Amino acid sequence: MAAVKKTVDQVKALEAYEHGFVTDIETEFAPKGLTSDTVRYISAKKDEPEWMLQWRLEAFERWLALDEPEWANVHYPKIDFQDAYYYAAPKEKVGPKSLDEVDPQLLETYKKLGIPLREQEVLLGVQGAPKYAVDAVFDSVSVVTTFKKELAAVGVIFCPMSEAIRDHADLVRQYMGSVVPVSDNYYACLNSAVFSDGSFVYVPPGVRCPMELSTYFRINAAQSGQFERTLIIADKGAYVSYLEGCTAPMRDENQLHAAVVELVALDDAEIKYSTVQNWFPGDPVTGKGGIYNFVTKRADCRGDRAKVSWTQVETGSAITWKYPSCILRGDGSSGEFYSIAVTNGHQQADTGTKMIHLGRDTKSRIIAKGISAGASSNTYRGLVSTNHKAANARNFTQCDSLLIGKTCAAHTVPYIEARNATAHFEHEATTTRLSEDQLFYAQQRGLSKEDAVALLVNGFVREVLQELPMEFAVEAQKLVAISLEGSVG
Amino acid sequence: MSLSRALETGDLAELPSRRDEDWRWSDLRGLIRAIPPASPDASARGEGPFAAVCSETMLVINGGSARIHLAAGEKKTIALRLISRAEGTSHSADVAVTVAEGAELTLLESHESFGAGYITDVEMDITLGASAVLERVVVATEAADAIAVTLARVGIGAGSKFAQTTLAIGAKRQRIETRLAHPGAGAAVRLDGVYLVGEKRHTDLTSTVTHKGEGGTTDQLTKGAVAGQGRGVFQGRITVERGADKTDAKMGHHALILDDRGEVDSKPELLIFADDVACAHGNTVGQLDEQAIFYARQRGMTLAEARALLTEAFIGEVIDRIEHDGARDVARTWASEKLRGLT
């Protein structure tokens, strides 16, 4: 109850989108539009080796030949890919060596962002705070990465992707594009051509990463897109927990965010990947503006008994198009997907997961909770498949949708492809509105209607919130309540 | 884009392909390389599976048309035999069924094969008036190398009752599709299916139900068993449009894969645009319960007998929902015979 009370208080105290401010900082842009020269510009800016440039240029060529996908249950005007900046970076002090060198305006920005307090303390270097290593990505560059030395002491590499390309080229070349191939899909291909910073993590064999790693993505510049690329490798027997958060200013234009995240888990390794996505969702009344979040996230359980767990809380973005997936290649490997997707106003979300069972004795579990309010649309789309060799594959899927109001929509589109007599797949889904009886009961006990809704919604998403690391769980609970603000009555 | 358009125009580009989301598991364009010539006229053979339980029969042989009309208040049981007596040729049939206000029809439909390598396409338009009742039972027994597509467009009136059970064993490619426009308004729909697919056969049971008005129910249950490179496809879509409150819709699909060469693909969709609804679906794919098999064997059955018995019981749940006593018996005998071939 204390947590619910906190949520309710926070809802009252906050505006609908608290991260909508703009940091007035001098920014350097690539020339507007997208040609092979843009790709060369980005590569040169990042001082990349020739092989990386060639990789990008090949991806760009392939992208030109691809068609924009139209199968998702989302509707938006055609994107003019020439009317955007593909590289934007704060002009001064790019890639500082220590926090002292970080532009004070940037520090102020992160302070204002209201990321979990302890994380913020760590970002500002406060002694004694619990350890959360942070990589802060501002538009197209990483501005600071904390705790690098301490992590390096146990062999963990945690750095911006641009640095990894220079300093850990062997690992990057071995793994990048091995989970999400360059031309996997339209937006992944675009990302491969123009990607800027993201995080690179390598956890050596047998190492349990001593702290949570996190990346905080911020889009600041107008008319720009963000195309980060994240690669996480957990070597044999390693463990890492990684958190990702994101926000953007309120603008009446649509901005594109097309990221690629690749996870590789070798024998007995475990990766836990949590996302709290809070991109600007657009104006709640007119639907104008907001981020187009077209993201490809995929994990490859390459080794035996590898485990990957995706947890996502999706509250932001005008449009979300995202399916964090697990390829269960290793025998005995397992994948999990826990998701809360909240849409309000004119938001559209088409999100879910894919569990591809290839190895023997593989297991997967999907818990997806969708909440739609306002005039929004929320679709769960997921695939569970086995091939002929994947003996004893097990899957359990539960998707529940909650509708709040008369003008929203909730859809469930699960795909199941079973090709093995020992496969055991279960899927169940329900769609309902908040129970009048429960609302009445809560109100009768003295809660206002809005508080009662917050309470019931928190109960509805509890199973997923439990999977989040503590710091994020509080943040996520708060976000779910804020996103639904104004949807009652 | 449809098989009937392709047969009519001879244009292969009219065939649905796997790029069409609703045909992703039942590609026709990659399968049909040329449109075969039209099937010749032929005469009927046999009596059809429902002869013993129904006195009135309509015949459609190698394509053609049929019209069934029940006037207000009328009550009938009609057997409709759609016969393919063709070798490597193609034919289309169109059937119109109208059941006027308060009338009751039991339509016992059989898709029978006395040939090989043919393409058959059936389009049906079914209309139910207010408070009308229609129970449709379809037994589709096509040739193993045939391509058979059936599409039924169903419109029903307020307070009417539409119940359907489709039983299929597949073909080289078989699809039985039902598109139903549901007015709500106290109308009740039951859409059931059974597929028993082996020997490289393929069947696709697809349905879309669109609830357009307040207060309607849809109850859907499909069960299937596959073996021997057989492939079962189930696609169900329930749409609840804005304003169609108080809709109660449930969909279940459960399949058994009996050996390692069988495949089941399914997509149970719910598209909901109204908030005061209760909609749910359940979907499972698995194998027979080992404990149940053990129990049966311990009681003296062979492994094959135990598997057959348990599979029959699994499928039986759907067949038990057929309301017409005679048709239910026919369906049960048919399923048990086809199951013996599978297990």
Side-chain angles (χ1 to χ4, degrees), chain A residues 68-366:
Chain A
E68 215 175 321
E70 287 170 352
W71 47 261
N73 195 5
V74 292
H75 308 281
Y76 54 92
K78 216 160 170 51
I79 298 171
D80 181 357
F81 287 93
Q82 298 305 332
D83 189 30
Y85 294 104
Y86 288 81
Y87 181 85
K91 224 168 195 172
E92 296 299 312
K93 298 170 185 166
V94 170
K97 292 286 175 283
S98 77
L99 271 178
D100 300 340
E101 293 174 43
V102 176
D103 190 320
Q105 260 181 304
L106 281 177
L107 292 181
E108 185 57 29
T109 302
Y110 283 96
K111 207 171 171 184
K112 273 169 79 178
L113 281 173
I115 48 179
L117 189 66
R118 288 173 184 180
E119 187 179 332
Q120 194 183 21
E121 281 170 0
V122 170
L123 188 61
L124 293 173
V126 171
Q127 289 292 318
K131 284 172 184 170
Y132 269 71
V134 176
D135 183 18
V137 177
F138 195 84
D139 288 328
S140 302
V141 288
S142 167
V143 290
V144 70
T145 309
T146 61
F147 287 109
K148 277 167 77 174
K149 271 190 193 153
E150 200 167 332
L151 288 167
V154 290
V156 174
I157 303 169
F158 178 45
C159 65
M161 188 53 109
S162 49
E163 197 178 308
I165 290 167
R166 289 195 300 270
D167 301 346
H168 308 284
D170 291 351
L171 284 170
V172 174
R173 287 185 87 162
Q174 185 182 349
Y175 290 106
M176 192 164 73
S178 72
V179 184
V180 179
V182 169
S183 52
D184 183 81
N185 67 69
Y186 189 76
Y187 294 105
C189 196
L190 173 65
N191 175 287
S192 302
V194 301
F195 74 87
S196 39
D197 262 341
S199 299
F200 175 83
V201 178
Y202 173 77
V203 188
V207 171
R208 190 179 169 91
C209 189
M211 64 186 86
E212 304 268 354
L213 305 183
S214 67
T215 303
Y216 198 83
F217 295 100
R218 172 77 177 167
I219 296 179
N220 186 61
Q223 287 185 292
S224 68
Q226 193 174 53
F227 305 91
E228 88 270 6
R229 199 165 180 113
T230 294
L231 174 59
I232 299 177
I233 304 144
D235 214 320
K236 291 179 181 174
Y239 169 85
V240 62
S241 169
Y242 178 91
L243 322 167
E244 173 199 75
C246 23
T247 58
M250 287 162 80
R251 290 208 171 84
D252 59 6
E253 65 186 30
N254 294 111
Q255 287 178 281
L256 181 61
H257 172 252
V260 170
V261 174
E262 295 176 286
L263 312 184
V264 180
L266 301 181
D267 289 356
D268 300 297
E270 182 176 348
I271 301 175
K272 191 171 165 62
Y273 192 106
S274 313
T275 305
V276 173
Q277 186 263 103
N278 187 23
W279 294 116
F280 177 53
D283 186 281
V285 180
T286 61
K288 234 180 162 190
I291 302 290
Y292 289 167
N293 191 31
F294 299 157
V295 174
T296 307
K297 292 185 170 181
R298 196 171 302 154
D300 190 351
C301 290
R302 213 163 276 185
D304 293 347
R305 298 167 302 281
K307 182 177 176 187
V308 168
S309 168
W310 296 100
T311 307
Q312 61 170 24
V313 178
E314 302 281 321
T315 57
S317 295
I319 300 176
T320 300
W321 183 96
K322 174 182 170 187
Y323 314 91
S325 311
C326 294
I327 301 169
L328 303 169
R329 200 185 300 275
D331 291 347
S333 59
S334 64
E336 290 174 354
F337 175 76
Y338 299 96
S339 167
I340 300 171
V342 183
T343 54
N344 198 353
H346 290 264
Q347 283 177 277
Q348 302 175 57
D350 192 311
T351 181
T353 184
K354 288 185 199 175
M355 294 290 173
I356 320 265
H357 293 256
L358 301 177
R360 296 175 63 87
D361 304 315
T362 48
K363 287 197 284 285
S364 62
R365 182 179 166 87
I366 299 169

Side-chain angles (χ1 to χ4, degrees), chain B residues 290-321:
Chain B
E290 277 181 25
Q291 284 197 334
I293 291 181
F294 177 77
Y295 179 82
R297 292 186 70 187
Q298 184 204 29
R299 296 271 147 178
M301 284 184 208
T302 64
L303 179 62
E305 281 169 346
R307 284 169 63 99
L309 180 78
L310 289 170
T311 312
E312 208 171 318
F314 172 77
I315 298 298
E317 190 191 343
V318 182
I319 292 173
D320 286 347
R321 287 155 58 111

Side-chain angles (χ1 to χ4, degrees), chain B residues 19-39:
Chain B
R19 289 185 69 88
D20 302 303
E21 181 62 22
D22 287 345
W23 289 83
R24 54 183 279 129
W25 289 314
S26 300
D27 177 32
L28 291 183
R29 200 175 302 170
L31 195 69
I32 301 174
R33 293 292 173 198
I35 302 288
S39 300

Side-chain angles (χ1 to χ4, degrees), chain A residues 416-444:
Chain A
I416 293 106
E417 297 181 347
R419 299 189 189 89
N420 192 295
T422 55
H424 200 98
F425 291 173
E426 290 172 68
H427 173 106
E428 57 186 52
T430 59
T431 305
T432 50
R433 65 172 176 171
L434 284 173
S435 153
E436 290 287 346
D437 290 350
Q438 289 172 6
L439 274 177
F440 177 76
Y441 179 81
Q443 283 179 267
Q444 184 207 30

